[in-house]
């Protein structure tokens, strides 16, 4: 127990949710008699949810900044149909189609960002309008028809890493990717630890880090094994690769860059941020614009996967993405949340969906369960706010985490002490 | 203590040895208050002396049991458990911040929570008839269907009083009723209070405007540092403004100041004819043609009562972060600068530490290191990427030099005590390396030990040749710290005093009237 405390304690907030995810996977693995962790199922799970997870990346930034975006499903659909039409009717190559889609997403985002940031209309309203608007555009432009996309564009949504190199019985590129990921994780952790030590900051004990690394790397390697041993022709899917790249980029932006800091600052306390020189309007604009670009990307991946664009693409996606973000520990009031947390939150929903499906549970019951999970997650979050803690993770880790050191209210030096020091 | 009360005059209210403690602070200690039936009783005291706390005890905001002492009202010991209970007994408090709903009409506001009904349905005809009656009593001739947002603050104040009259008020408490009013509205209100007195309604009035108190009050109770000092009978004791001021400030300095030899250089920051409008109310000015300057190495104090416009002046200068800019010029080192937003102000070498630490100064979700660097991320980042090592080093350096008490710089700021939070905010602004640092109530809500340390930090900044502006409601603090003090009254600078000529009395005089310094 003590070991667990040390392992999961501290400020690693994602661990609680990861814990839940692992528990969920184990549960389904047992009750589906091993059908959950098969290469085919895992690949399916990734392919079928990558676009929601991409939306969750944008959505967490929106929610951290204190807004919400209800229009992502419609934006994705509109971008999808426009690109599909452009490729069919204008005969542009697939990469021009992608560029067009991203550009259109940026344009839509600028529109929504303008109303939200500079006119000051709540994002809820702006994007509710956008939800209607762009759904309408999707059906108007596509004349409510299904528009197929060519083979090379489909690669975006349903392609796999190719087979290269000697025949090892595994997919070589997938293996390579897994090894790179492991090396990256180990190097990053060691470097962070060295820096922290050099600065004299508090670092966990060596065995704690070692156990943590072994667990993470074990998980990565196992996933690699699953992806590399699928049915011939399958391997790590392209949407998964795109997702991984985006997670890296946005994880970096949100935690390490000036822009990222500003997003958290605006969401945490807008007035304080403004009085510190943060230009909150610009931040809000960028966040809204970014969301629509990612929505455009998600729309294109979905079109690629389903081989055609249709009038009802993306219906309900916004809700899945928002749910993923909140389950992943973001706060409704803004200022709290992480990219990786949202991905884990999205995976929890995905595994739940998938597992229940494998068990043969009907769509009705699945929705009921998913609804309850979301409610429970946010209820914990709200409950913890009133308890002075930050999020669901804190709650879930209550028994694992260190008891927070509560400072005495009067921690300042007494006058006498100060004077004696000065003398 | 002078007690002019004779046994023959009946008391409507007696508060006996009221003591109210907040964690770590004794807000009221053995306060006594005797209010005679039918009089106008003023309560005077500096900001933070405990006037509002006393009135909150009386009106049940702090319920029975959360304080010690007795409230005897109409010859009975009262145990109000909330505001409703005290209102039921006929005690109505009108706060400085009016509790009216802007979108609703005058009638709807008067009867809010108290609607006349007929078989469970609101009887608007009756409400309108009665509100016309009430409005006539307070001398307001507007249509009772007018939305509140369309009438001025002066009239809104009258609606509040009409609302109180509707609750058959016997004891009316007015907290700074004229703070937001212009001269003629103020006069009208004072006349109304006198009129209510003639009809037998007792009033307790809290005001910083001593000339008004002198004009209408029958007796005055002075509160200082949470204690009732004396009760004066205005006519019998021949009380004038000077006498009240003496009662309000008559204390010895309790806080100590580090020794400091000012090294004052040339003028480097100057503001001329600064005029700013209220952000919402179109024709109201919060800064009126104010001019001031700061020299290198100088600590400049800004004295003024709450609502005088000190914060408004500071924030409007700091990148127009408050109000509507109307006119004025800012010069840094003799060159005019135009600061349209906070970023420009920071880049021009200004820093502003807000009086409202929790809502304007800190993101309570952040930890110490994130907060410390948040106003100057540029300095610790390369190509827009924040260097976490530098961030940590900077935060650590300030934690040590300011003696912030926290286990590590990874500690969340929400967990720190007020004094340590203030040190973190100071660190954040010191890290922007400002030439002029504006400190708005830098020691509010901080205990004595931390105050002393913060004074030391301020003096060190001045010694480095920076300019420091200190805005404070505590006159002893301003007198102990500043090299020069500007006084502000109703948005205008009413005078400036050098350290050697400033006293609490002379400042209080400038802070409470528009008369120019003698």
């Amino acid at each position: 127990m003590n070991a667990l405390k040390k392992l999961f304690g501290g400020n690693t907030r994602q661990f609680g949710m990861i814990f839940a995810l692992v528990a969920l996977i184990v549960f389904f693995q047992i009750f589906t008699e091993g059908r959950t962790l098969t290469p085919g199922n895992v690949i399916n799970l990734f392919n079928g949810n990558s676009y929601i997870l991409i939306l969750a990346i944008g959505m967490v930034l929106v929610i951290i900044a204190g807004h919400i975006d209800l229009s992502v499903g419609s934006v994705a659909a509109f971008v999808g149909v426009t690109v599909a039409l452009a490729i069919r009717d204008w005969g542009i190559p697939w990469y021009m189609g992608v560029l067009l889609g991203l550009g259109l997403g940026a344009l839509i985002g600028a529109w929504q960002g303008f109303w939200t940031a500079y006119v000051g209309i709540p994002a809820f309203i702006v994007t509710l309008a956008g939800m209607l608007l762009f759904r309408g555009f999707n059906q108007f432009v596509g004349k409510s028809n299904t528009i197929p996309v060519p083979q090379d564009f489909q690669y975006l949504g349903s392609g796999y890493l190719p087979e290269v190199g000697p025949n090892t019985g595994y997919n070589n590129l997938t293996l390579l990717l897994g090894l790179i990921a492991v090396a990256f994780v180990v190097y990053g952790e060691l470097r962070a630890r060295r820096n922290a030590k050099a600065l004299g900051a508090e670092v966990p004990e060596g065995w704690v880090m070692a156990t943590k690394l072994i667990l993470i790397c074990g998980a990565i390697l196992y996933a690699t094994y699953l992806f590399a041993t699928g049915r011939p022709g399958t391997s790590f899917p392209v949407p998964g690769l795109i997702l991984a790249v985006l997670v890296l980029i946005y994880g970096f932006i949100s935690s390490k860059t000036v822009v990222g800091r500003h997003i958290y600052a605006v969401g945490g306390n807008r007035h304080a941020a403004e009085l510190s020189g943060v230009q909150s309007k610009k931040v809000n604009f960028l966040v809204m614009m970014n969301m629509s670009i990612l929505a455009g990307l998600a729309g294109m991946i979905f079109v690629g996967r389903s081989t055609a664009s249709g009038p009802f693409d993306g219906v309900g996606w916004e809700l899945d993405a928002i749910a993923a973000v909140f389950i992943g520990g973001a706060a409704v009031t803004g200022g709290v949340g992480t990219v990786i947390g949202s991905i884990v939150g999205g995976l929890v929903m995905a595994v739940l969906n998938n597992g229940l499906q494998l068990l043969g549970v009907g769509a009705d019951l699945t929705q009921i369960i998913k609804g309850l999970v979301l409610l429970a997650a946010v209820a914990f979050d709200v409950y913890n706010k009133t308890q002075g803690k930050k999020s669901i993770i804190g709650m879930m880790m209550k028994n694992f985490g260190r008891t927070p050191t509560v400072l005495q209210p009067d921690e300042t030096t007494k006058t006498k002490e100060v004077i004696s020091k000065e003398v | 203590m002078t007690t002019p009360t004779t046994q023959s005059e009946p008391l409507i209210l007696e508060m006996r040895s009221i003591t109210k403690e907040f964690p770590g602070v004794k807000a009221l200690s053995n306060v006594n208050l005797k209010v005679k039936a039918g009089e106008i009783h003023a309560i005077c005291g500096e900001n933070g002396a405990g006037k509002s706390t006393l009135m909150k005890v009386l009106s049940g905001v702090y319920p029975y049991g959360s304080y010690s002492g007795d409230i005897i009202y109409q010859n009975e010991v009262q145990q109000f458990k909330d505001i409703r209970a005290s209102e039921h007994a006929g005690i109505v408090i009108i706060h400085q911040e009016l509790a009216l709903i802007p979108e609703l009409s005058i009638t709807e506001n008067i009867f809010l929570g108290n609607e006349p009904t007929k078989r469970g349905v609101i009887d608007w005809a009756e409400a309108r008839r009665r509100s016309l009656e009430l409005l006539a009593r307070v001398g307001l001739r507007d249509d009772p269907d007018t939305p509140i947002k369309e009438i001025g603050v002066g009239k809104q104040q009258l609606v509040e009083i009409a609302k109180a009259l509707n609750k058959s008020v016997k004891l009316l408490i007015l907290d700074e009723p004229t703070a937001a009013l212009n001269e003629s509205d103020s006069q009208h209100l004072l006349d109304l209070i006198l009129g209510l007195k003639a009809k037998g309604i007792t009033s307790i009035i809290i005001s910083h405007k001593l000339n008004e108190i002198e004009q209408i009050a029958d007796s005055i109770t002075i509160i200082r540092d949470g204690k009732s000092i004396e009760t004066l009978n205005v006519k019998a004791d021949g009380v004038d403004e000077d006498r009240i001021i003496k009662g309000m400030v008559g204390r010895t300095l309790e806080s100590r100041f580090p020794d400091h030899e000012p090294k004052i250089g040339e003028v480097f920051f100057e503001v001329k004819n600064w005029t700013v409008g209220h952000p919402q109310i179109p024709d109201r000015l919060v800064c009126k043609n104010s001019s001031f300057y700061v020299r290198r190495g100088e600590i400049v104090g800004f004295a003024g009562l709450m609502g005088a416009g000190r914060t408004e002046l500071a924030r409007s200068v700091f990148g127009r972060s408050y109000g509507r800019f109307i006119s004025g010029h800012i010069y840094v080192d003799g060159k005019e600068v135009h600061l349209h937003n906070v970023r420009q102000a920071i880049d021009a070498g200004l820093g502003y530490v807000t009086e409202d630490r929790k809502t304007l100064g800190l993101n309570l979700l952040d930890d110490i290191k994130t907060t410390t660097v948040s106003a100057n991320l540029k300095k610790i980042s390369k190509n827009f990427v924040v260097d976490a090592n530098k961030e940590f080093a900077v935060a650590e350096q300030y934690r040590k030099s300011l003696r912030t008490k926290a286990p590590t710089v990874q500690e969340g700021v929400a967990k720190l005590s007020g004094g340590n939070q203030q040190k973190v905010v100071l660190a954040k602004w010191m890290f922007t390396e400002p030439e002029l640092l504006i400190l708005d109530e830098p020691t509010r809500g901080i205990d004595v030990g931390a105050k002393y340390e913060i004074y030391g930090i301020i003096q060190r900044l001045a010694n480095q040749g920076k300019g420091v502006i200190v805005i404070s409601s505590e006159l002893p603090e301003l007198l102990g710290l500043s090299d020069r003090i500007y006084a502000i009254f109703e948005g205008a600078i009413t005078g400036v005093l050098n350290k050697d000529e400033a006293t609490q009395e002379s400042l209080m005089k400038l802070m409470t009237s528009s008369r120019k310094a003698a």
Side-chain angles (χ1 to χ4, degrees):
Chain A
M1 203 59 213
N2 213 17
L4 270 178
K5 257 187 201 173
K6 287 211 166 137
L7 201 54
F8 295 116
N11 56 5
T12 42
R13 301 180 42 236
Q14 277 80 46
F15 266 108
M17 194 39 70
I18 290 176
F19 204 70
L21 181 60
V22 171
L24 212 57
I25 293 173
V26 170
F27 173 86
F28 282 123
Q29 175 72 359
I30 294 170
F31 283 86
T32 59
E33 288 149 3
R35 275 177 296 153
T36 300
L37 287 178
T38 60
N41 190 50
V42 171
I43 289 171
N44 243 338
L45 201 136
F46 258 78
N47 266 342
N49 289 286
S50 56
Y51 42 92
I52 298 293
L53 295 177
I54 288 173
L55 291 177
I57 294 175
M59 192 66 80
V60 72
L61 298 181
V62 170
I63 285 172
I64 290 169
H67 307 290
I68 197 124
D69 193 333
L70 300 175
S71 69
V72 291
S74 297
V75 172
F78 178 44
V79 169
V81 76
T82 310
V83 172
L85 275 173
I87 292 174
R88 192 191 67 181
D89 296 352
W90 303 341
I92 60 173
W94 69 270
Y95 51 87
M96 287 307 290
V98 172
L99 280 182
L100 173 75
L102 295 177
L104 183 61
L107 211 64
I108 293 169
W111 160 266
Q112 307 210 100
F114 166 75
W115 291 106
T116 307
Y118 292 102
V119 184
I121 300 173
F124 186 92
I125 306 294
V126 172
T127 58
L128 185 61
M131 187 179 173
L132 300 169
L133 206 60
F134 299 112
R135 174 64 54 195
F137 273 133
N138 160 273
Q139 296 175 355
F140 177 75
V141 171
K143 300 192 177 62
S144 293
N145 286 327
T146 302
I147 295 133
V149 287
Q151 195 77 44
D152 46 4
F153 194 84
Q154 288 174 19
Y155 188 72
L156 203 62
S158 54
Y160 297 97
L161 293 181
E163 297 285 352
V164 288
N167 187 358
T168 52
Y170 301 102
N171 178 277
N172 290 332
L173 279 179
T174 305
L175 289 184
L176 187 67
L177 216 59
L179 291 177
I180 291 175
V182 166
F184 184 77
V185 167
V186 173
Y187 172 73
E189 187 76 12
L190 287 177
R191 206 180 79 128
R193 185 181 170 80
R194 203 181 52 225
N195 282 336
K197 250 190 184 158
L199 288 162
E202 205 184 340
V203 289
E205 289 156 54
W207 67 267
V208 173
M209 189 193 58
T211 319
K212 191 172 139 192
L213 279 180
I214 289 169
L215 285 178
I216 295 175
C217 294
I220 295 175
L221 289 175
Y222 184 63
T224 309
Y225 166 77
L226 284 178
F227 282 121
T229 55
R231 159 175 72 77
T234 66
S235 63
F236 193 65
V238 171
L241 191 66
I242 296 174
L243 177 68
V245 171
L246 289 176
V247 168
L248 284 180
I249 293 175
Y250 281 92
F252 181 79
I253 289 177
S254 65
S255 63
K256 300 262 192 276
T257 65
V258 174
V259 183
R261 286 292 173 90
H262 285 180
I263 295 172
Y264 279 95
V266 168
N269 185 342
R270 182 178 167 175
H271 298 293
E274 282 173 356
L275 279 178
S276 302
V278 175
Q279 291 175 316
S280 62
K281 286 181 181 169
K282 221 186 241 172
V283 170
N284 288 335
F285 180 83
L286 280 179
V287 159
M288 294 307 289
M289 180 154 136
N290 175 66
M291 177 76 258
S292 291
I293 297 175
L294 288 180
L297 182 60
M300 288 188 285
I301 288 175
F302 181 78
V303 167
R305 177 176 150 76
S306 55
T307 69
S309 156
F312 297 106
D313 289 357
V315 171
W317 285 6
E318 58 280 341
L319 303 180
D320 285 338
I322 291 167
V325 170
F326 284 130
I327 291 178
V332 189
T333 44
V336 180
T338 56
V339 169
I340 202 76
S342 306
I343 294 296
V344 174
L347 284 177
V348 165
M349 282 301 229
V351 168
L352 203 61
N353 234 351
N354 175 266
L356 291 172
Q357 234 167 47
L358 289 178
L359 286 176
V361 175
D364 44 0
L365 211 56
T366 304
Q367 288 204 45
I368 292 173
I369 292 173
K370 276 166 73 182
L372 288 175
V373 166
L374 173 64
L375 192 62
V378 180
F380 275 128
D381 187 57
V382 171
Y383 172 76
N384 273 292
K385 272 268 167 61
T386 59
Q387 304 291 306
K389 294 205 201 76
K390 267 190 204 166
S391 77
I392 174 181
I393 315 295
M395 178 66 190
M396 301 198 57
M397 299 312 294
K398 208 171 179 181
N399 301 320
F400 302 107
R402 272 174 282 170
T403 33
T405 42
V406 180
L407 290 180
Q408 293 304 308
D410 194 3
E411 268 288 312
T412 38
T413 333
K414 294 274 166 288
T415 319
K416 262 185 247 155
E417 283 175 54
V418 179
I419 295 169
S420 62
K421 262 185 228 154
E422 304 264 305
V423 169
Chain B
M1 188 165 160
T2 39
T3 35
T5 332
T6 54
Q7 288 306 315
S8 59
E9 285 175 278
L11 294 178
I12 184 168
L13 172 76
E14 182 173 4
M15 296 178 84
R16 242 185 244 156
S17 55
I18 302 287
T19 299
K20 167 81 190 163
E21 283 183 51
F22 294 107
V25 191
K26 210 171 208 181
L28 297 173
S29 121
N30 279 319
V31 173
N32 292 298
L33 177 68
K34 287 181 183 173
V35 181
K36 282 171 275 183
E39 72 166 349
I40 296 176
H41 194 109
I43 297 179
C44 292
E46 284 184 289
N47 294 337
K51 297 164 301 199
S52 297
T53 311
L54 185 65
M55 290 305 108
K56 281 180 181 164
V57 167
L58 173 57
S59 60
V61 173
Y62 300 134
Y64 175 76
S66 70
Y67 58 87
S68 66
D70 290 322
I71 298 175
I72 297 141
Y73 171 70
Q74 295 189 315
N75 301 320
E76 270 175 61
V77 177
Q78 303 285 346
Q79 304 183 348
F80 298 132
K81 64 178 199 314
D82 55 19
I83 298 183
R84 279 192 100 83
S86 66
E87 282 189 353
H88 192 73
I91 299 175
V92 178
I93 183 162
I94 296 178
H95 293 280
Q96 192 176 350
E97 303 290 325
L98 300 179
L100 297 172
I101 297 172
E103 302 295 330
L104 295 186
S105 74
I106 295 178
T107 307
E108 286 169 314
N109 266 291
I110 289 177
F111 292 97
L112 191 65
N114 199 10
E115 294 87 353
T117 56
K118 210 196 247 166
R119 286 187 295 273
V121 178
I122 298 177
D123 185 353
W124 284 118
E126 168 71 5
R128 195 183 144 86
R129 190 187 61 72
R130 268 166 58 191
S131 72
L132 275 172
E133 226 174 77
L134 291 165
L135 291 182
R137 280 178 73 187
V138 297
L140 191 60
R141 275 188 293 275
D142 288 60
D143 181 351
D145 294 334
T146 320
I148 283 294
K149 62 178 181 186
E150 286 175 20
I151 62 176
V153 201
K155 287 179 178 174
Q156 289 180 7
Q157 190 75 259
L158 297 178
V159 172
E160 277 275 18
I161 293 176
K163 195 173 160 185
L165 291 177
N166 182 46
K167 292 173 187 159
S168 51
V169 59
K170 298 191 188 77
L171 177 61
L172 184 64
I173 304 165
L174 299 127
D175 190 355
E176 298 280 356
T178 59
L181 304 189
N182 63 31
E183 212 132 300
S184 69
D185 280 348
S186 297
Q187 198 52 51
H188 183 85
L189 186 72
L190 297 176
D191 290 342
L192 176 63
I193 297 170
L194 285 170
L196 294 177
K197 177 188 164 188
K199 294 205 175 81
I201 294 175
T202 314
S203 300
I204 295 177
I205 176 167
I206 296 175
S207 179
H208 284 306
K209 297 188 181 169
L210 302 182
N211 54 345
E212 295 176 1
I213 287 178
E214 200 187 336
Q215 186 191 334
I216 64 163
D218 299 304
S219 23
I220 300 172
T221 295
I222 291 172
I223 297 185
R224 188 203 307 154
D225 297 336
K227 301 182 186 92
S228 44
I229 301 303
E230 52 188 347
T231 297
L232 307 168
N233 187 315
V234 175
K235 291 197 186 64
D237 296 353
V239 172
D240 62 5
E241 282 185 46
D242 289 343
R243 177 70 189 80
I244 304 173
I245 290 174
K246 193 174 151 241
M248 280 164 67
V249 299
R251 69 168 154 197
T252 52
L253 295 190
E254 279 172 2
S255 45
R256 297 187 46 181
F257 298 91
D259 290 329
H260 172 63
E261 273 297 315
K263 285 172 269 182
I264 295 175
E266 77 285 9
V267 174
F268 78 103
F269 184 85
E270 198 166 6
V271 171
K272 281 189 180 156
N273 308 103
W274 197 251
T275 302
V276 173
H278 190 279
Q280 275 102 38
I281 304 165
D283 49 356
R284 203 166 135 208
L285 296 180
V286 290
C287 300
K288 298 172 190 158
N289 209 21
S290 303
S291 300
F292 63 91
Y293 64 86
V294 182
R295 292 176 289 193
R296 289 200 179 276
E298 187 179 37
I299 302 174
V300 177
F302 274 79
L305 294 162
M306 229 174 268
R310 304 164 304 178
T311 300
E312 289 80 354
L313 176 62
R315 283 188 58 185
S316 61
V317 167
F318 184 62
R320 301 185 188 172
S321 52
Y322 180 90
R324 280 175 301 112
F325 173 79
I326 293 173
S327 64
H329 306 277
I330 299 176
Y331 301 89
V332 176
D333 290 323
K335 256 185 275 166
E336 179 159 15
V337 290
H338 301 277
L339 311 176
H340 295 275
N341 58 48
V342 173
R343 192 72 256 166
Q344 290 174 352
I346 294 173
D347 291 342
L350 269 64
Y352 170 73
V353 176
T354 169
E355 60 175 336
D356 194 346
R357 212 162 32 235
K358 292 222 163 108
T359 55
L360 299 177
L362 287 172
N363 177 355
L364 292 170
L365 303 168
D366 273 346
D367 55 19
I368 295 177
K369 62 181 165 57
T370 319
T371 309
T372 306
V373 299
S374 65
N376 196 7
L377 282 172
K378 222 190 300 174
K379 202 172 164 199
I380 56 148
S381 47
K382 205 173 145 190
N383 302 327
F384 302 106
V385 177
V386 177
D387 184 333
N389 298 342
K390 273 191 195 160
E391 176 184 32
F392 187 92
V394 165
E396 192 62 24
Q397 178 201 328
Y398 279 103
R399 184 177 75 89
K400 283 186 185 132
S401 69
L402 301 188
R403 293 208 199 108
T404 311
K405 282 208 171 172
T408 67
V409 291
Q410 281 122 312
E411 189 77 3
V413 290
K415 281 193 195 165
L416 302 177
S417 70
N420 285 313
Q421 284 183 343
Q422 187 70 336
K423 284 182 187 173
V424 175
V425 177
L426 277 175
K428 159 175 146 185
W429 286 106
M430 284 162 75
F431 184 56
T432 67
E433 295 171 341
E435 289 306 308
L436 173 71
L437 189 58
I438 305 170
L439 302 163
D440 199 347
E441 301 281 4
T443 62
R444 174 178 287 173
I446 290 177
D447 64 64
V448 183
K451 275 186 186 177
Y452 184 89
E453 290 189 297
I454 284 174
Y455 297 148
I457 295 165
I458 293 172
Q459 291 172 343
R460 281 212 298 278
L461 283 171
N463 286 345
Q464 290 162 15
K466 320 247 185 215
V468 182
I469 290 178
V470 176
I471 298 171
S472 177
S473 294
E474 290 179 41
L475 290 181
E477 176 171 289
L478 282 181
L479 290 167
L481 206 57
S482 317
D483 301 312
R484 211 154 45 88
I485 303 175
Y486 287 96
I488 301 186
F489 176 73
E490 292 189 337
I493 291 180
T494 49
V496 55
L497 298 170
N498 280 324
K499 190 184 182 88
D500 42 9
E501 55 188 0
T503 60
Q504 298 204 39
E505 283 80 3
S506 60
L507 275 175
M508 191 57 96
K509 205 168 250 173
L510 290 171
M511 286 156 60
T512 48
S513 68
S514 46
R515 280 178 288 167
K516 286 280 171 195

